[in-house]
Amino acid sequence: MAIALIIPDRKLDDLQQRLQQALPDTRIEIWPKLSAPAEITFAVLWKQPAGIVATLPALKAMQSFGAGVDGILADKTLPALPLARIVDPALTESMLQYLTGIESYYRLRLDTFSDLQRQKQWHPKGPRKLRTLCVLGLGELGSAAALHFQEQGYQVSGWARTPRQLDGIECYTGIAELPTALAEADLVICLLPLTMATENLLNADVFAMMKAGVIFINVARGAIVDDGALLAALDSGQVQAACLDVFRQEPLDEAHPFWSHPAVLVTPHVSAVTRVDTVVAQISENYRRSEQGLPLLNEVDLQRGY
Ligand code: NDP
Ligand code: OXD
């Protein structure tokens, strides 16, 4: 019985130490230095190289180190074992802080003033009148965002795969109701998971359903958006501005037009980063559960893909 941390792009000493404290009798090893792969029964994964998990013959369960699991499920050799994801109030709080900052940035026209500063131009303007907002995806993060902005005085609509009920939010379901969900929104926030059903979902037709001059924020996954369609919508003014935290390819290629488009704000996938200190308890609890054959906390539906 041992745990493998297979997270190539992150320093893992802190996670290893904290898990070791929580599970003193269990060996916690960091890939690629696994002393005995045949003894690994639980793997914590994030952007793992394809094929690695399939080489662990005793594996019983998998844990995503983030809220999303698309990067894990992209490995077609992944064994069909229980997979859990992170659900953490600290992650939600971080996303709300980011979205609050971005909303203020556009409302206060800081995008415009920063352009004007570069041109040494003095043009006072009042705040943008942003009153309506749509959240695509009403799960852990999307429902928190919808309720947060509703409390801030926005008229909020939301869209999910199945019917949802949230106090004060107009909730819509399925492709047929997407145009209504989007139609009135001054701001659209994408918090959908990347699945077969959502890949390239936000295409030219969907940008055309949005209100002219909408501000679009993507904090979910880059591949949900058709980049060319977004650029065309920005060039035509259908989308007034876009804040993008996630990209089809990360890091964003230096030749990508998003970097230099005047109406695009790029942030490097920072809106809600998993905190080791707040997630150790759920990861160690899931390890215990997997050893006892119990259902995991925050288990993903592998068929749905989220
Ligand atoms: P959840 O699984 O809790 O919620 C997903 C929501 O999307 C649900 O409301 C679900 O509908 C809806 N949905 C899924 N598929 C469809 C579809 N085909 N059509 C309409 N709605 C759909 O996810 P979270 O809220 O925890 O996270 C959302 C995503 O945010 C993650 O998958 C991840 O990609 C991204 N993320 C990004 C971060 C960053 O730093 N940029 C940090 C953390 C997460 P239903 O309610 O009916 O199931
Ligand atoms: C996540 C992320 O899904 O950081 O947790 O993108």
Side-chain angles (χ1 to χ4, degrees):
M1 279 161 22
I3 299 180
L5 309 181
I6 313 182
I7 309 180
D9 65 349
R10 204 169 155 144
K11 251 184 121 250
L12 294 172
D13 307 359
D14 188 26
L15 177 61
Q16 186 185 34
Q17 276 165 25
R18 287 177 191 262
L19 277 174
Q20 198 64 80
Q21 271 167 15
L23 302 165
D25 300 328
T26 305
R27 221 171 54 247
I28 320 277
E29 299 201 330
I30 299 178
W31 180 87
K33 291 185 185 154
L34 302 182
S35 62
E39 289 171 19
I40 301 293
T41 52
F42 190 80
V44 184
L45 306 171
W46 189 252
K47 295 186 183 165
Q48 84 281 3
I52 294 295
V53 181
T55 65
L56 305 173
L59 199 68
K60 294 180 188 164
M62 303 172 289
Q63 167 78 55
S64 168
F65 191 60
V69 291
D70 49 288
I72 295 167
L73 297 178
D75 177 357
K76 295 303 165 213
T77 67
L78 201 75
L81 293 170
L83 169 65
R85 71 190 193 97
I86 295 295
V87 174
D88 179 16
L91 194 79
T92 306
E93 183 51 34
S94 163
M95 182 59 82
L96 292 184
Q97 281 181 12
Y98 176 93
L99 291 173
T100 302
I102 297 300
E103 184 270 347
S104 300
Y105 174 81
Y106 287 117
R107 187 167 36 78
L108 300 175
R109 297 190 195 270
L110 300 185
D111 55 333
T112 310
F113 294 135
S114 117
D115 280 352
L116 289 170
Q117 178 182 350
R118 263 178 251 119
Q119 298 165 46
K120 301 185 179 169
Q121 296 283 321
W122 184 274
H123 287 312
K125 281 186 187 178
R128 284 191 178 96
K129 293 188 176 59
L130 303 174
R131 298 204 170 90
T132 47
L133 183 148
C134 173
V135 183
L136 302 176
L138 292 173
E140 290 292 332
L141 300 175
S143 59
L147 292 167
H148 169 77
F149 285 110
Q150 195 257 342
E151 280 164 20
Q152 302 304 306
Y154 272 92
Q155 183 188 317
V156 179
S157 60
W159 186 69
R161 192 178 58 88
T162 56
R164 301 295 311 261
Q165 283 205 321
L166 292 171
D167 268 1
I169 314 290
E170 291 171 50
C171 296
Y172 298 94
T173 307
I175 288 292
E177 294 183 5
L178 182 58
T180 319
L182 290 170
E184 298 299 323
D186 297 321
L187 282 155
V188 172
I189 298 173
C190 178
L191 269 167
L192 292 163
L194 174 60
T195 65
M196 270 160 47
T198 63
E199 188 168 2
N200 290 317
L201 175 79
L202 304 188
N203 58 19
D205 292 344
V206 175
F207 285 116
M209 289 171 196
M210 297 182 196
K211 187 170 169 178
V214 67
I215 294 172
F216 173 67
I217 301 170
N218 189 10
V219 278
R221 286 293 182 266
I224 297 171
V225 174
D226 174 338
D227 289 359
L230 175 57
L231 286 162
L234 284 159
D235 290 341
S236 72
Q238 168 64 12
V239 175
Q240 177 182 172
C243 167
L244 307 176
D245 185 50
V246 286
F247 304 90
R248 199 165 277 275
Q249 188 194 319
E250 295 182 2
L252 183 60
D253 189 279
E254 67 176 41
H256 200 291
F258 284 153
W259 279 118
S260 49
H261 197 289
V264 175
L265 173 64
V266 169
T267 61
H269 202 142
V270 291
S271 50
V273 177
T274 301
R275 275 177 48 182
V276 170
D277 58 335
T278 57
V279 299
V280 159
Q282 64 184 277
I283 296 176
S284 43
E285 172 61 14
N286 270 342
Y287 168 71
R288 286 191 205 96
R289 284 169 176 246
S290 74
E291 289 304 329
Q292 291 165 26
L294 296 172
L296 304 181
L297 303 174
N298 309 315
E299 198 166 324
V300 169
D301 179 332
L302 295 174
Q303 294 310 312
R304 264 182 357 189
Y306 72 98

